[in-house]
Amino acid sequence: MASEQPPSPPAAEPAATTLIGLGGDLLREIFLLLPSLPSLVRAAFACRTFLDAVRSSPAFRRRFRELHAQPLLGIFFDPDGPAIPAFAALRRRDDPDRRAAVRRGDFFLTGLPDDDDDARPGWVISDCHDGYLVLEHIYTREALAYNPLTLALDLLPPLPDEFYEGFQGHYNGLDYHVHAPEECRDHGAFRVIYACHDDSRARAAVFSSDSDARAWRVLPYSEALRTIPESGEREHWLTAGRIVDGFVYWVYSDEAAMLVLDTTTLHFSRVDLPDYLKGQTSMFRVGKTRDGVLCVVVAIQFNLYVWLRNIRDDGVEVWVRGQRFQLDDIVEDTGGTLEEHGQLKVVSVVDGVVYFSTHETFEDANLPCWFLSIDLEENALDMLFQRNYDSHVHPYIMPWPRSLVRDKACLQVEGA
């Protein structure tokens, strides 16, 4: 009788697939489902595999930006006179990653150079863009660029004497603006622009942080950009500027027009505005839509009107009235009345999101305003917070972190 064969051992179960075992393409598809950029940062630093998946794909970074608006972390309030700018963080119970980004940064601006007089701090914000602040000292006229997320601080050299020469009539300094072009952003470089004008012309100086010379490049004065009025009103014909997608826009104080500086070609030009905006610089802000179209958002009572800069079939650029957003029903969320709110004031327009406020503080200095935002594409209203509008306002938008980019500096640190 043949002996019985021992039973075969059970087949080994297939090894379970873990997230770390997924390929980079599949990981990136999963990461696209995350709700925000702070959530992606947290996920990417969970392990080396996740971080490599994000760093190794410029295409993923572009797609993530297309699907997720850069998040507002909060708003800087910069009062007139000696005071350190204050920061009001956007608090959301359902978004701990956004709060974590603020906690890890220096939004109290403790990294700024000390003042000679501790009781009279002199740093004021001139611009806030691409994650950087440009601050100027009201007593010493020193200027610097500071990134409160990375704590990177760059002292700017003084403007050369050449910048102040050659003006005709009256010289008027304008403002600093900071911009991190796409080709510079991944390695932490940026540009600062400072501009001035005389009675009819403008000029600019440009500082590049990655320049070996670390010196200002002074541009010649432009051609005449306005006709000097017979009344002799010559001095202040440009208002504070706004930088949008690499272009700086200064609104004419006495004409329905804007002076434009292309920070790539360093060329000045003029863009006309709809006629009814002449002299109404407090009513509107220039910005761009999420798909990159230049726009102007105008606040009239409790309506936001959007004007878009389009190109006609004959190649001529014109302003076209876009959507109107009627916001009388904000009282349902604020609990106030239209009479109490007064009207709306546009603060800023960034990548298709309009930041605006109600008007209480302007009627009574003791009353706080509501700060809100609306997504132009999704028509989604968001209540931000309530605060006195007693300062110059600078929304801080979180930029794409350099730590999520595989650049040369990163490879040298990691020994790759």
Side-chain angles (χ1 to χ4, degrees), residues 52-90:
D52 286 345
V54 174
R55 283 179 169 175
S56 61
S57 177
F60 166 78
R61 298 198 294 273
R62 288 192 296 269
R63 191 176 173 196
F64 193 93
R65 289 170 180 148
E66 292 170 357
L67 295 175
H68 303 80
Q70 290 179 288
L72 174 75
L73 296 187
I75 297 178
F76 280 102
F77 290 83
D78 191 7
D80 291 321
I84 292 291
F87 184 73
L90 182 62

Side-chain angles (χ1 to χ4, degrees), residues 343-375:
Q343 63 185 60
L344 301 180
K345 178 180 177 62
V346 181
V347 172
S348 185
V349 184
V350 183
D351 291 333
V353 178
V354 182
Y355 299 96
F356 62 99
S357 78
T358 54
H359 216 251
E360 287 89 342
T361 306
F362 297 93
E363 307 296 334
D364 185 337
N366 296 315
L367 296 178
C369 294
W370 276 100
F371 286 83
L372 313 94
S373 70
I374 188 167
D375 189 307

Side-chain angles (χ1 to χ4, degrees), residues 175-196:
D175 36 28
Y176 290 94
H177 294 280
V178 62
H179 174 50
E182 191 71 31
E183 66 273 14
C184 302
R185 200 170 297 167
D186 288 350
H187 57 275
F190 60 88
R191 295 174 187 160
V192 175
I193 297 95
Y194 186 79
C196 69

Side-chain angles (χ1 to χ4, degrees), residues 44-274:
F45 280 92
C47 67
R48 180 61 180 266
T49 300
F50 292 0
L51 186 58
D52 286 345
V54 174
R55 283 179 169 175
S56 61
S57 177
F60 166 78
R61 298 198 294 273
R62 288 192 296 269
R63 191 176 173 196
F64 193 93
R65 289 170 180 148
E66 292 170 357
L67 295 175
H68 303 80
Q70 290 179 288
L72 174 75
L73 296 187
I75 297 178
F76 280 102
F77 290 83
D78 191 7
D80 291 321
I84 292 291
F87 184 73
L90 182 62
R91 300 176 65 87
R92 290 291 183 266
R93 286 177 294 177
D94 59 350
D95 194 352
D97 297 324
R98 191 188 312 231
R99 298 202 306 269
V102 174
R103 284 198 303 271
R104 294 187 179 98
D106 177 26
F107 290 91
F108 288 129
L109 305 183
T110 60
L112 299 183
D114 293 332
D115 289 271
D116 292 337
D117 184 350
D118 292 339
R120 301 177 67 220
W123 292 106
V124 298
I125 297 174
S126 182
D127 192 25
C128 176
H129 196 69
D130 289 337
Y132 290 92
L133 301 173
V134 175
L135 300 102
E136 185 179 13
H137 202 282
I138 58 177
Y139 304 123
T140 66
R141 313 317 302 181
E142 294 174 294
L144 58 83
Y146 186 55
N147 187 324
L149 281 176
T150 65
L151 313 188
L153 185 147
D154 284 80
L155 295 172
L156 304 179
L159 286 159
D161 293 341
E162 173 192 358
F163 185 78
Y164 302 100
E165 299 171 352
F167 62 88
Q168 298 175 358
H170 300 82
Y171 166 89
N172 282 283
L174 287 169
D175 36 28
Y176 290 94
H177 294 280
V178 62
H179 174 50
E182 191 71 31
E183 66 273 14
C184 302
R185 200 170 297 167
D186 288 350
H187 57 275
F190 60 88
R191 295 174 187 160
V192 175
I193 297 95
Y194 186 79
C196 69
H197 68 79
D198 60 19
D199 286 354
S200 64
R201 307 171 304 160
R203 85 181 316 172
V206 181
F207 172 82
S208 298
S209 66
D210 57 352
S211 168
D212 292 336
R214 290 190 62 81
W216 290 94
R217 175 187 175 189
V218 177
L219 307 180
Y221 268 101
S222 67
E223 60 185 14
L225 297 163
R226 73 189 287 254
T227 300
I228 301 175
E230 296 180 359
S231 62
E233 296 176 0
R234 301 180 177 184
E235 289 194 50
H236 304 286
W237 53 277
L238 291 176
T239 62
R242 306 275 170 175
I243 189 163
V244 180
D245 202 23
F247 293 81
V248 187
Y249 296 86
W250 294 274
V251 179
Y252 284 60
S253 59
D254 55 357
E255 299 182 54
M258 295 187 293
L259 175 65
V260 185
L261 174 65
D262 184 333
T263 62
T264 300
T265 65
L266 302 178
H267 175 72
F268 282 106
S269 61
R270 172 185 165 128
V271 172
D272 291 331
L273 286 167

Side-chain angles (χ1 to χ4, degrees), residues 313-332:
D313 293 339
D314 59 2
V316 176
E317 292 187 351
V318 294
W319 290 104
V320 177
R321 180 177 288 184
Q323 193 170 356
R324 175 174 74 100
F325 296 85
Q326 188 171 353
L327 298 173
D328 302 63
D329 58 355
I330 64 171
V331 295
E332 299 176 6

